[in-house]
Amino acid sequence: MAKVMIVYASMTGNTQEIADILGEELEKYDIEVEIEECINVEPEELLDYDGALIGGYTYDDGQLPDEFVDFYEDMADVDFSGKVCASFGSGDTFYDEFCLTVDLVETRLKEKGATVPVEGLKVDLDPDEEDVERAEAYAKKYVDVLLGNE
């Protein structure tokens, strides 16, 4: 059975809600899922899993969340080769840098050798029904690569 860790930072609960939606969707494919806040995990712990989904909100006008900075910076010291990873998060389209955290995480994962099969999932504020459908499609594509179906 494949194992995936979902790591997130969430201030208002929006990104946590996305993490939960993704976790439930992955479990439908018989994937063992662990969901943790970024302050409780070190990036090298992700190496114990087949893959990881990493999520964070974008604060203010394009800033990483304070509680996420250390995790993000420490990702630079980890070789994610052989791991299937992707990014997700929430933001506010009011700001010019919508969901920049998602882009930064995706870039870091690629730089560190991860297979990134899906473009980062970006949600405006809290997920609505359309966002849930996009999250389900995102999870399906991720799972296909994780399990070697694609």
Side-chain angles (χ1 to χ4, degrees):
M1 175 182 285
K3 294 183 350 181
V4 172
M5 179 175 272
I6 300 176
V7 179
Y8 70 91
S10 187
M11 181 190 303
T12 62
N14 295 339
T15 305
Q16 180 179 2
E17 186 175 349
I18 300 165
D20 291 340
I21 291 166
L22 292 171
E24 289 174 14
E25 194 64 23
L26 293 180
E27 287 174 344
K28 291 178 184 177
Y29 297 96
D30 292 325
I31 293 173
E32 184 180 325
V33 177
E34 185 171 344
I35 302 175
E36 291 287 342
E37 287 187 73
C38 64
I39 57 172
N40 298 325
V41 178
E42 295 295 327
E44 57 269 8
E45 292 177 56
L46 301 178
L47 299 178
D48 295 334
Y49 295 81
D50 301 299
L53 299 175
I54 302 171
Y57 62 95
T58 300
Y59 182 72
D60 202 18
D61 198 18
Q63 297 172 349
L64 289 171
D66 289 341
E67 69 274 23
F68 191 72
V69 171
D70 288 343
F71 184 89
Y72 174 77
E73 289 176 351
D74 291 346
M75 285 174 63
D77 299 327
V78 179
D79 181 0
F80 289 102
S81 297
K83 302 298 176 185
V84 180
C85 301
S87 63
F88 68 94
S90 62
D92 188 337
T93 54
F94 172 81
Y95 296 103
D96 292 335
E97 298 291 344
F98 175 65
C99 284
L100 182 62
T101 297
V102 174
D103 297 334
L104 292 172
V105 169
E106 184 173 314
T107 298
R108 175 68 43 92
L109 287 167
K110 289 177 180 178
E111 289 170 351
K112 300 308 296 180
T115 298
V116 180
V118 288
E119 186 175 312
L121 177 65
K122 299 178 180 181
V123 175
D124 187 22
L125 302 173
D126 60 323
D128 61 19
E129 191 172 315
E130 182 180 309
D131 294 319
V132 171
E133 291 173 7
R134 288 189 313 113
E136 290 169 349
Y138 166 98
K140 170 76 169 96
K141 188 169 183 182
Y142 175 84
V143 166
D144 283 345
V145 172
L146 179 73
L147 299 180
N149 297 334
E150 187 172 284

